[in-house]
Amino acid sequence: MVRFTRKYLSVLAFFSISPAAHAQAELDPNLIASQSMTGNQTSLNYLNNRRSSILNGSPTGTTTNHALGIDAIFQPVPATVTLQELNQSILNATNILLATGNDVNSIHQSMQGNQTASNIAENHSLDKPLVSAQTGENLANIVIANRIDNVTQSFGPGASQNILNDMRSAGATLDTVTQTGRNTANVATAELSIGSGGQFFPRDTSQLIENIVEVSNPIGGAFDVVQSGVNIGNVLVAEEVKDVTRVFSGSQTVRNIVTYPEGNIPLSLTQTGLNIANFVSATRVDGLSQVSDGTQVVENSGDDHSLAGITTRVTSHSYSSTNVVNLLEVNEPASADHVVIKNTTVSATQTANQPQRVQSSNGTHSQIGNSATISR
């Protein structure tokens, strides 16, 4: 699970940011930067698809609908869709410093606003079944560099990341629904080292993902639903991490909800949720402190039934939840300095004092308080 998490975080931090963000001028090798966000980023994709007309009643080619909000309130974007496929996606990003190949002397990032990504679709066309994908993502306080001498990242006070993917459809018009939500805040990655600093999630901060599918008509064929949500806070990735304090006191919540009338049961239903409060991946760790006293919740439900009831009604049902409070991964040193690093002391403290909720004994669950893996 640790290696999967690290791979996921790497992909999330490096590749989910728009490629256009990488086109930057050469940075000062002694860079000192401060970034602050106190406003709101609100992005909305809304579709109301009815049989009466799409462009005067004629089907259009497949249209991908994107909304991007950066450092401002983004107004609702009109959506168009064929009678066959819908793709709604949103990315909100704030306080991003990409200094790949450069050294950062000091970076301070503060996010005290709100990021909201909403994909909402109402499908009432009876002509052809709909295949839909809804994706929402929020990024805040991200720095990537060769070396970071000092970093301070604060998500809050009063900050929030919210994602809503909501599909409302008549059963006869639904084929496949995929809903994905990702919230990420306070990420620092360096090729060499992170010298000192802190990452903070105050108590009044939150990361929330809600994936909702509402089927309103019991007449229709079987349909498939895949829902996933990931909340990640306080990430450090470097060869060496030294003298960093991290406190997570906020809340992380993933809700996957499917409601359907009797007689119109999904053919397959997959629901997953992952929450990570503090994550560190390094080869050398000295003076690391991780404290978590927030909350983590993953809720999966289908038609207000228990998980056992869902299993008896749905042909294929997969349910999983993972809550990780403090995760430390100390990696195998490179061959060049393997002997020196192998004998280096790992100095770290981890304190977990927060509730983790599991719905049922059904499905696959991982509840991790303090975890450390060392490869030597």
Side-chain angles (χ1 to χ4, degrees):
M1 191 277 294
V2 172
R3 294 190 181 278
F4 166 78
T5 302
R6 188 184 184 207
K7 180 179 179 182
Y8 176 84
L9 288 170
S10 298
V11 172
L12 186 64
F14 291 150
F15 298 111
S16 62
I17 301 172
S18 171
H22 292 272
Q24 303 181 47
E26 186 70 19
L27 295 175
D28 187 328
N30 296 314
L31 177 65
I32 298 175
S34 178
Q35 297 177 317
S36 177
M37 165 68 166
T38 59
N40 298 325
Q41 292 180 322
T42 303
S43 299
L44 169 67
N45 284 324
Y46 176 76
L47 167 77
N48 190 330
N49 179 27
R50 296 188 179 275
R51 185 174 185 176
S52 58
S53 65
I54 296 180
L55 295 183
N56 297 324
S58 301
T60 65
T62 299
T63 302
T64 302
N65 184 23
H66 296 279
L68 172 63
I70 296 181
D71 295 335
I73 297 178
F74 199 91
Q75 298 300 321
V77 177
T80 58
V81 66
T82 70
L83 300 179
Q84 298 172 306
E85 183 175 349
L86 167 67
N87 187 335
Q88 294 177 310
S89 65
I90 293 173
L91 167 64
N92 291 318
T94 188
N95 294 351
I96 310 294
L97 176 62
L98 302 180
T100 304
N102 293 271
D103 297 337
V104 175
N105 181 273
S106 177
I107 173 68
H108 179 272
Q109 295 176 318
S110 174
M111 162 63 168
Q112 298 182 42
N114 303 284
Q115 293 177 312
T116 301
S118 300
N119 295 307
I120 301 173
E122 297 185 40
N123 179 45
H124 304 284
S125 170
L126 301 177
D127 292 348
K128 293 182 180 179
L130 176 68
V131 176
S132 73
Q134 296 175 310
T135 303
E137 182 165 14
N138 293 313
L139 296 171
N141 297 349
I142 312 292
V143 55
I144 300 172
N146 180 60
R147 190 188 76 226
I148 305 172
D149 293 336
N150 178 269
V151 57
T152 301
Q153 295 175 315
S154 179
F155 185 76
S160 68
Q161 292 179 319
N162 305 287
I163 293 173
L164 171 63
N165 294 315
D166 190 355
M167 168 59 68
R168 309 163 194 170
S169 178
T173 67
L174 202 59
D175 182 86
T176 301
V177 179
T178 302
Q179 296 177 317
T180 305
R182 293 186 292 261
N183 288 320
T184 307
N186 291 358
V187 176
T189 70
E191 288 294 323
L192 298 178
S193 63
I194 298 174
S196 64
Q199 294 177 314
F200 307 100
F201 266 71
R203 190 167 299 280
D204 60 350
T205 58
S206 64
Q207 294 177 313
L208 170 65
I209 297 170
E210 291 184 304
N211 295 314
I212 302 173
V213 176
E214 303 170 84
V215 179
S216 59
N217 189 332
I219 302 175
F223 54 94
D224 301 326
V225 177
V226 178
Q227 298 174 311
S228 65
V230 178
N231 291 314
I232 297 177
N234 292 350
V235 176
L236 295 176
V237 179
E239 283 296 309
E240 180 179 13
V241 172
K242 184 176 182 180
D243 298 332
V244 177
T245 299
R246 322 167 80 214
V247 178
F248 185 96
S249 301
S251 65
Q252 296 177 316
T253 304
V254 178
R255 293 192 181 99
N256 297 312
I257 302 170
V258 179
T259 60
Y260 43 87
E262 191 74 32
N264 197 180
I265 302 171
L267 179 64
S268 67
L269 175 59
T270 301
Q271 298 174 314
T272 63
L274 169 64
N275 293 315
I276 299 178
N278 292 320
F279 174 81
V280 177
S281 178
T283 302
R284 288 171 285 186
V285 178
D286 184 14
L288 172 70
S289 174
Q290 299 190 126
V291 178
S292 297
D293 58 357
T295 60
Q296 294 178 316
V297 176
V298 176
E299 297 178 350
N300 294 322
S301 65
D303 201 23
D304 296 326
H305 286 72
S306 66
L307 295 177
I310 295 173
T311 302
T312 61
R313 288 161 55 86
V314 180
T315 303
S316 175
H317 174 242
S318 175
Y319 166 76
S320 67
S321 69
T322 302
N323 289 317
V324 181
V325 179
N326 297 317
L327 179 60
L328 171 61
E329 179 186 71
V330 181
N331 304 310
E332 181 78 14
S335 57
D337 53 3
H338 184 277
V339 176
V340 175
I341 298 177
K342 184 176 181 179
N343 297 320
T344 301
T345 301
V346 176
S347 173
T349 61
Q350 299 184 123
T351 303
N353 183 23
Q354 67 183 60
Q356 298 174 310
R357 192 167 79 199
V358 176
Q359 279 184 300
S360 167
S361 59
N362 295 74
T364 303
H365 312 278
S366 298
Q367 308 293 319
I368 301 172
N370 297 317
S371 174
T373 62
I374 301 175
S375 300
R376 283 290 186 259

